[in-house]
Amino acid sequence: MEILWLSEEDVKSSLTMAEAISAVEEAFREHGLGSAQMPPKSYLHYTKYQGDLRTMPAYLEGMDATGVKVVNVHPENPARGIPTVMALVVLHSPKTGAPIAVMGGTHLTEMRTGAAGAVAARYLAREGSRRVGLLGAGAQARTQLLGLAETFEIETVLVADISIERSRSLAGWAERFLAAEYVISSDIRDVCDADILVTTTPSRRPLVREEWISRGTHINAIGADAAGKEELDPAILKRSKVVVDDIVQASHSGEVNVPLAEGLLAPGEIYATIGEVVAGKVPGRVREEEVTVFDSTGLAIQDVATAMGVYSRALARGLGTKLPFL
């Protein structure tokens, strides 16, 4: 028996944003239809090192795909010369349980999260959205923009980050695939003047105030992925149609986790999961003027669905290294 090892470079050569969007949309659909198994993330917290390690298993019956991702989040890693987030994905055969592939999951994680934002915006943002605001200019902001560029004809990109140099770097990178006007600011209010606002910071206090959000705005809230994190004024959630990726996971680690814990938001005020919207069980945006929020915590189904596509394409192209097992 052999296992296919796929390096980060193998994964990058086997995954476009369009392919990631297709996989993630199908994963959300299965989740919405109830044909996916996905226990909540489990965490190990390394207080001494200001980081954590997460395990994320999933099974997608319709795609006949199962596996687990192991991923860390260590905010101080860039100072060590390594990424904040690093991951490994193991795919198994649902029929036998045998491992069939192990692959680098760092690039895959960035791509599938960007794809999730694109899928959510397709269903929740206004048609013809042209103006994107990015709060945070790190790696995740890049794939969020990459995903939105696949979905909308973007004309203006507004960027705010604590590092002006990081904002400029993002704009320079994005100009290679997106001909748009890039406006860099140090004021968060400036990026809120957008059709689609994307927040990708690790903040543990609200950064975006309710009065800065205009009617009709869609927000992809990406940064909150652990208990205690939040980027949005809870008043924004109160006035919005809030769509989460998973109710249980979002409740303990998503944008809604702090407002729920503090009684500022009731569980019944969460509108739906994105899977229910994609599956057609409930409508997405129904009025031009409504404010919509997608609370993305990152789901194991996204990883497994995306990894399965990578594995299939790598096999077809003869990529990777076969390793003996058993």
Side-chain angles (χ1 to χ4, degrees):
M1 184 180 296
E2 294 179 324
I3 300 174
L4 185 65
W5 161 247
L6 297 172
S7 67
E8 285 288 337
E9 288 306 312
D10 292 328
V11 173
K12 288 178 182 178
S13 65
S14 303
L15 180 62
T16 66
M17 180 52 74
E19 289 164 342
I21 290 172
S22 177
V24 167
E25 185 168 18
E26 184 57 32
F28 283 154
R29 182 175 291 107
E30 283 210 36
H31 188 255
L33 293 173
S35 58
Q37 294 181 44
M38 186 185 62
K41 296 178 187 177
S42 60
Y43 289 78
L44 295 174
H45 297 281
Y46 309 121
T47 306
K48 178 180 177 181
Y49 301 106
Q50 300 185 38
D52 65 64
L53 188 71
R54 312 165 190 195
T55 56
M56 303 170 62
Y59 171 45
L60 293 139
E61 185 176 354
M63 301 179 75
D64 200 34
T66 191
V68 61
K69 184 175 79 172
V70 181
V71 58
N72 78 291
V73 178
H74 282 64
E76 294 187 356
N77 273 0
R80 303 180 178 107
I82 54 178
T84 298
V85 177
M86 295 176 284
L88 198 68
V89 179
V90 182
L91 291 178
H92 292 256
S93 162
K95 182 177 181 180
T96 68
I100 57 175
V102 181
M103 68 184 71
T106 305
H107 179 70
L108 185 148
T109 296
E110 294 170 357
M111 292 288 280
R112 62 77 150 149
T113 309
V119 172
R122 180 183 294 164
Y123 288 88
L124 298 173
R126 289 176 293 186
E127 288 187 20
S129 290
R130 298 286 186 270
R131 194 173 174 89
V132 172
L134 300 176
L135 176 54
Q140 193 46 246
R142 294 189 177 206
T143 50
Q144 288 294 316
L145 182 58
L146 187 62
L148 292 173
E150 284 279 340
T151 313
F152 297 89
E153 294 182 8
I154 299 170
E155 296 176 351
T156 304
V157 179
L158 314 166
V159 189
D161 190 279
I162 57 174
S163 167
I164 293 295
E165 185 54 42
R166 190 157 52 212
S167 295
R168 289 173 178 159
S169 176
L170 181 148
W173 168 82
E175 285 174 343
R176 293 180 290 178
F177 67 89
L178 178 60
E181 177 189 13
Y182 294 88
V183 181
I184 295 171
S185 175
S186 58
D187 192 332
I188 294 174
R189 288 175 293 184
D190 292 337
V191 299
C192 295
D193 182 22
D195 299 313
I196 301 171
L197 172 63
V198 182
T199 61
T200 60
T201 77
S203 180
R204 289 183 173 270
R205 63 179 180 83
L207 299 176
V208 180
R209 296 174 59 174
E210 188 272 337
E211 59 265 31
W212 298 343
I213 301 300
S214 302
R215 290 187 301 171
T217 302
H218 170 65
I219 303 172
N220 278 340
I222 308 298
D225 60 354
K229 289 187 176 182
E230 60 177 334
E231 299 178 288
L232 307 180
D233 180 346
I236 296 173
L237 303 178
K238 293 287 289 187
R239 67 180 276 206
S240 302
K241 176 179 282 184
V242 178
V243 176
V244 300
D245 52 10
D246 180 77
I247 292 288
V248 174
Q249 194 162 286
S251 296
H252 71 67
S253 61
E255 182 62 41
V256 299
N257 87 91
V258 175
L260 285 174
E262 296 181 350
L264 301 174
L265 186 74
E269 292 180 280
I270 297 174
Y271 173 70
T273 67
I274 188 62
E276 290 171 323
V277 174
V278 172
K281 287 187 173 182
V282 297
R285 175 176 291 270
V286 294
R287 298 190 310 277
E288 283 286 303
E289 68 274 14
E290 67 184 336
V291 177
T292 53
V293 174
F294 173 53
D295 182 358
S296 172
T297 59
L299 305 183
I301 55 170
Q302 298 168 233
D303 298 304
V304 170
T306 306
M308 196 65 189
V310 168
Y311 172 64
S312 297
R313 288 185 292 273
L315 279 180
R317 298 168 186 171
L319 297 177
T321 304
K322 292 183 179 180
L323 303 175
F325 179 70
L326 292 184

